[in-house]
């Protein structure tokens, strides 16, 4: 679908942000790529983004500087927002929740003040859905929310940050009448993924509960564009395309996460066991199927 419309991608420096910039430019959008200021300047913008494209404009946008956000949003009909930890506080700890929630609030407030914004696609996480005291029971879907106190008790800082940020965004979106949808992604499978990724805290429990899910970069990027362009999209969308629920998959991931020089940890997965999947992505899959069919019919 070609489009002459202008959208903003913030933060455009991460794997997802830069993938969205490329896909949106390919689809004919004019893109405002908003990047956090870096102490050494934009180190690798040329590598991340096709800087020669006349439809790409790069903005210095700090999620804690309201005016820089509004400058990046000026003239845009949509925003794709994903949080990138600031360079001076890159670790998910007990303080990150306040930082991420404040950034979400600032960005949504700026959207409310930008008359041209028609829709916001807010990147969240599966970790906002899966953590609570009663970890067994019915299947989880978009109606479920992670328990804040459970996260604090077990120091699940990634889940805490993502949950508070998304709740902050929804509160402001509903209060100010902003058309927002969220993509709640699984563990993003990127070449630089390591065992230190904060999403992986509680991985063994996720695995045993049947809620350890991953997502490929292209799949989650396509999902963002689908929910943006489909006028029927609403609310939250769990986004993943692989479930890790058997020892073979768990071993494969462990080998990928650990450097080849390190021995594998003691085998904690039950060899023959397959854990039942307890999380559903039907809502997104149905929407993407309809969207792809409409795309084929319009070509």
């Amino acid at each position: 679908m070609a489009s002459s419309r202008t959208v903003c991608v913030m933060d455009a420096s991460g794997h997802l942000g830069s993938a969205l910039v490329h896909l949106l430019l390919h689809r004919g959008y004019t893109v405002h790529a908003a990047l956090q200021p870096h102490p050494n300047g934009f180190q690798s913008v040329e590598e991340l983004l096709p800087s020669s494209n006349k439809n790409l404009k790069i903005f210095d946008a700090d999620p804690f500087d309201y005016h820089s956000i509004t400058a990046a949003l000026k003239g845009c009909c949509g925003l794709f927002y994903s949080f990138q930890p600031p360079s001076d506080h890159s670790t998910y700890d007990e303080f990150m929740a306040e930082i991420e929630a404040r950034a979400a609030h600032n960005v949504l407030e700026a959207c409310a003040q930008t008359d041209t914004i028609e829709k916001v696609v807010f990147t969240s996480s599966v970790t906002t859905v899966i953590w609570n005291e009663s970890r067994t029971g019915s299947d989880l879907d978009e109606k479920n929310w992670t328990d804040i106190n459970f996260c604090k008790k077990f120091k699940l800082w990634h889940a805490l940050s993502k949950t508070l940020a998304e709740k902050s965004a929804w509160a402001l979106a509903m209060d100010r009448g902003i058309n927002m949808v969220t993509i709640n992604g699984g563990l993003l499978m990127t070449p630089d993924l390591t065992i230190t990724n904060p999403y992986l805290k509680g991985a063994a429990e996720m695995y045993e509960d049947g809620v350890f899910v991953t997502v490929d970069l292209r799949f989650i990027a396509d999902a963002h564009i689908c929910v943006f362009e489909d006028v029927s999209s609403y609310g939250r969308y769990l986004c993943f395309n692989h479930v890790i629920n058997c020892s073979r998959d768990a071993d494969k991931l462990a080998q990928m996460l650990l450097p080849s020089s390190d021995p594998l940890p003691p085998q904690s997965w039950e060899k023959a066991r397959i854990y039942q999947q307890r999380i559903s992505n039907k809502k997104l899959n149905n929407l993407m199927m309809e969207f792809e069919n409409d795309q084929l019919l319009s070509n």
Side-chain angles (χ1 to χ4, degrees):
M1 183 194 98
S3 172
S4 59
R5 303 204 302 164
T6 302
V7 294
C8 179
V9 177
M10 183 187 302
D11 187 283
S13 66
H15 287 291
L16 175 59
S18 56
L20 281 170
V21 169
H22 282 86
L23 284 173
L24 289 162
L25 288 170
H26 181 69
R27 293 177 77 78
Y29 288 91
T30 295
V31 179
H32 289 190
L35 301 102
Q36 284 187 49
H38 193 278
N40 304 321
F42 295 144
Q43 290 180 308
S44 55
V45 171
E46 290 77 14
E47 296 169 32
L48 290 167
L49 306 173
S51 54
S52 60
N53 193 307
K54 62 181 172 52
N55 290 330
L56 174 66
K57 297 174 183 175
I58 295 171
F59 288 80
D60 180 345
D62 184 341
F64 308 103
D65 176 0
Y66 179 78
H67 295 293
S68 72
I69 304 169
T70 54
L73 291 175
K74 189 174 181 182
C76 292
C77 67
L79 168 68
F80 295 85
Y81 173 72
S82 58
F83 177 76
Q84 283 287 109
S87 56
D88 61 350
H89 194 125
S90 58
T91 306
Y92 271 85
D93 55 20
E94 62 267 41
F95 306 110
M96 185 62 89
E98 183 187 342
I99 294 169
E100 189 163 351
R102 187 155 46 93
H105 185 276
N106 289 348
V107 170
L108 267 292
E109 182 58 46
C111 289
Q113 298 293 340
T114 305
D115 292 341
T116 53
I117 291 288
E118 297 168 14
K119 196 173 204 174
V120 175
V121 182
F122 184 100
T123 309
S124 188
S125 173
V126 165
T127 59
T128 66
V129 167
I130 59 175
W131 292 114
N132 56 64
E133 291 286 356
S134 56
R135 288 193 358 242
T136 55
S138 58
D139 287 359
L140 301 175
D141 62 19
E142 289 81 3
K143 294 188 294 292
N144 296 94
W145 279 95
T146 281
D147 182 89
I148 298 298
N149 292 324
F150 185 88
C151 291
K152 290 177 179 175
K153 181 179 176 182
F154 292 101
K155 299 183 178 179
L156 297 162
W157 304 131
H158 181 272
L160 179 67
S161 296
K162 295 297 177 188
T163 303
L164 289 176
E166 189 188 338
K167 286 195 168 190
S168 175
W170 276 119
L172 209 151
M174 289 189 277
D175 183 54
R176 305 299 294 277
I178 300 167
N179 179 16
M180 185 177 91
V181 291
T182 66
I183 293 288
N184 297 67
L187 176 66
L188 184 59
M189 302 301 285
T190 57
D192 59 354
L193 183 66
T194 69
I195 198 76
T196 60
N197 187 296
Y199 186 108
L200 289 164
K201 179 75 183 287
E205 289 78 11
M206 285 190 269
Y207 172 71
E208 290 166 7
D209 292 349
V211 297
F212 192 179
V213 292
T214 66
V215 66
D216 297 328
L217 182 58
R218 181 58 193 259
F219 185 86
I220 194 171
D222 284 344
H224 279 71
I225 291 172
C226 169
V227 299
F228 179 71
E229 293 186 354
D230 194 318
V231 293
S232 70
S233 66
Y234 69 95
R236 311 169 82 201
Y237 288 89
L238 285 168
C239 180
F240 56 91
N241 58 348
H242 186 62
V243 183
I244 296 175
N245 62 345
C246 66
S247 56
R248 183 169 51 89
D249 288 346
D251 289 345
K252 189 176 170 185
L253 180 65
Q255 285 167 358
M256 192 182 107
L257 292 174
L258 294 163
S260 55
S261 57
D262 294 349
L264 281 174
Q267 188 60 269
S268 58
W269 322 109
E270 292 180 42
K271 272 295 175 194
R273 182 120 190 219
I274 296 178
Y275 292 95
Q276 184 179 349
Q277 178 180 338
R278 285 190 46 252
I279 187 166
S280 171
N281 56 355
K282 281 182 185 172
K283 184 184 177 189
L284 177 64
N285 286 352
N286 290 341
L287 188 78
M288 288 183 78
M289 201 178 299
E290 289 171 18
F291 181 72
E292 285 165 10
N293 289 339
D294 289 344
Q295 296 291 301
L296 288 171
L297 290 171
S298 64
N299 287 338

